[in-house]
Amino acid sequence: MNSKTKSILKSIGAVITGILINVIPAITIDAVLHVTNCYPPMGERMSDSLFLLAISYRLALAILGGFFTAKLSPYSPIGHVITLGVIGTIASTLGHIQMGDQGPAWYSIGLIVISIPLSWLGGFIYLKRKG
């Protein structure tokens, strides 16, 4: 395998890692909060305060995903985290279209709006810590 192919695979891996850091913990936390009855049963609408809880850990995960995407990128860390943010924006927009009426508008629109800036923030934090 040549170095260009390795670099492309590392780039893809960096962005996929960022996606997984965003998605897997969020799904796991959601499931635990449903099972422990902190959240209502699936399909029932949650209160706005519970949506505030949900967005709070999604904010942290978006930053963390950006941090590790930047760390794993073979070049151009900010370019990689912007790619991650764009993918998050697209996924959040599709989620809003499909499930937008199952929660407050601020929640689903908030997820769309935060994707790029928080992914970027994670990458920025990585670069500042790297020195």
Side-chain angles (χ1 to χ4, degrees):
M1 187 177 322
N2 65 34
S3 63
K4 185 174 181 177
T5 302
K6 285 181 185 178
S7 181
I8 290 169
L9 291 175
K10 285 182 180 181
S11 290
I12 292 168
V15 173
I16 289 174
T17 298
I19 293 168
L20 294 176
I21 288 171
N22 275 277
V23 173
I24 293 173
I27 290 171
T28 303
I29 294 167
D30 288 349
V32 167
L33 293 174
H34 281 290
V35 169
T36 60
N37 296 319
C38 180
Y39 284 179
M42 293 293 287
E44 278 188 34
R45 185 157 181 331
M46 298 192 314
S47 67
D48 281 9
S49 61
L50 292 178
F51 278 105
L52 189 58
L53 173 62
I55 205 165
S56 68
Y57 53 84
R58 282 169 171 77
L59 295 172
L61 292 170
I63 295 168
L64 197 60
F67 181 92
F68 281 100
T69 295
K71 182 175 182 165
L72 296 172
S73 67
Y75 61 90
S76 182
I78 295 301
H80 285 76
V81 298
I82 296 300
T83 300
L84 173 66
V86 168
I87 291 168
T89 299
I90 293 167
S92 296
T93 301
L94 294 174
H96 174 70
I97 292 167
Q98 182 179 355
M99 301 175 66
D101 61 342
Q102 294 181 12
W106 64 262
Y107 175 76
S108 57
I109 293 169
L111 292 176
I112 295 166
V113 171
I114 67 169
S115 292
I116 293 173
L118 292 183
S119 294
W120 173 86
L121 179 59
F124 178 79
I125 292 169
Y126 168 73
L127 291 174
K128 283 295 183 187
R129 290 186 57 156
K130 182 180 171 189

